[in-house]
Amino acid sequence: MVRAMKHWGLASGTLQYVEGNRGDVEPTPFGLNTFGEKGVDPYCERPETAWRLHWELCRLPDRATLWHYLFGHWRGTSVDPESLQHEIEPWLATIGGSIPSSSTLKRDFLCLASSYAPIRSAKDDPEDSAACPLSSLGLVTRSGRTLFFRTGRRTGLTPEVFEHAITDFWQLYAPERETISIDEVMKHNGSPGRIFLLSEDQAFELVDEISGLDTPAFRFDSTAGIQQLYRTSSLVTD
C-alpha cells in the first residue's frame, strides 16, 4: 500500500522526489497548498481539486501512461480493452515505451475505469465515493467493458485550473514561443482541451474569465481571424 501511495502521489503531482535522492519523496507546492496541514482542500472536497488532479495524472506519459494516452491522444468516442491493445502499441513504440502484456493493460484499464466511472449498486456505502474523486468529473460513462467519453461543458472547472493547465501545456509543448493558438490549446495531443474533453464555447468563456484575474499569465487576441494567446508573464507552474 505504501508503494501504491507513493506511485499515485508522484503521478498526481502531490509528491516529488527529493533532489539528489530519488528514493525519498516530499510534498510538492501543489500537494502542500491543497492537502497540507493548512491546505485549502485537505479532504479533496472541492471540484477544482479533482480537475487539477485529473490534469496532473494526464499531462505526461511518465507515470500514468494509460491516463495520458486515453485522454490526451485517443481519437474515438469509446474504448474497450481489445481496441485499446491494438492502438496503444504503435504509440508506445514511438515514445520508446515498453509494450505491456494484455493482462497488465486490462488491469490498468479497469483501474482507470473504476476511477472515473465506478460500478455502483444499491448496497454501496455513499462514503465510498470519497475514494473516487475523479468520478465526480463526468468525463466518461461505462457499459460493460466499454468506456464512453463525454465531451461538453465541465462543471467545477475554474479559470485558475484552466490557466494552470494552459501554461503547463505551453511550457511542455512550446516553451520558447510567446504565442500559442486556441486551436493548439483545444486540439493538440495532450492539450487542456483534449484532456478536459472541453467544449469550445466554455473554453472561450474560461479564457475571458482568466483575463479578469489579478495577474493573468496570458491575454487573448483575435487578429485577421487568428485566435491566439499572448504570454504576459513567465510560464511558471507550481
Side-chain angles (χ1 to χ4, degrees), residues 162-182:
F162 194 49
E163 180 188 44
H164 170 82
I166 291 174
T167 56
D168 190 20
F169 169 69
W170 198 335
Q171 183 68 21
L172 293 168
Y173 171 60
E176 75 289 350
R177 283 168 43 187
E178 295 297 314
T179 65
I180 191 170
S181 71
I182 290 292

Side-chain angles (χ1 to χ4, degrees), residues 153-237:
R153 298 185 66 84
R154 310 268 70 111
T155 301
L157 178 58
T158 63
E160 290 82 2
V161 172
F162 194 49
E163 180 188 44
H164 170 82
I166 291 174
T167 56
D168 190 20
F169 169 69
W170 198 335
Q171 183 68 21
L172 293 168
Y173 171 60
E176 75 289 350
R177 283 168 43 187
E178 295 297 314
T179 65
I180 191 170
S181 71
I182 290 292
D183 194 61
E184 290 170 305
V185 167
M186 290 299 297
K187 299 177 182 178
H188 195 275
N189 290 338
S191 66
R194 295 286 303 278
I195 287 176
F196 292 141
L197 298 177
L198 188 63
S199 66
E200 190 170 291
D201 60 336
Q202 188 179 10
F204 279 105
E205 291 171 11
L206 287 167
V207 167
D208 187 56
E209 292 180 62
I210 290 168
S211 67
L213 299 177
D214 291 339
T215 55
F218 49 78
R219 63 179 177 84
F220 171 75
D221 187 68
S222 179
T223 303
I226 300 176
Q227 298 171 320
Q228 295 194 101
L229 301 178
Y230 292 79
R231 183 161 46 185
T232 58
S233 61
S234 59
L235 294 179
V236 177
T237 59

Side-chain angles (χ1 to χ4, degrees), residues 57-103:
L57 284 168
C58 299
R59 60 188 290 270
L60 288 172
D62 298 355
R63 290 199 160 265
T65 305
L66 186 58
W67 272 249
H68 174 77
Y69 178 70
L70 285 183
F71 287 103
H73 292 259
W74 184 261
R75 294 288 177 175
T77 58
S78 64
V79 63
D80 58 66
E82 288 70 29
S83 59
L84 176 62
Q85 181 89 41
H86 176 72
E87 297 291 338
I88 199 172
E89 290 185 1
W91 175 76
L92 286 170
T94 65
I95 66 169
S98 58
I99 306 300
S101 65
S102 59
S103 59

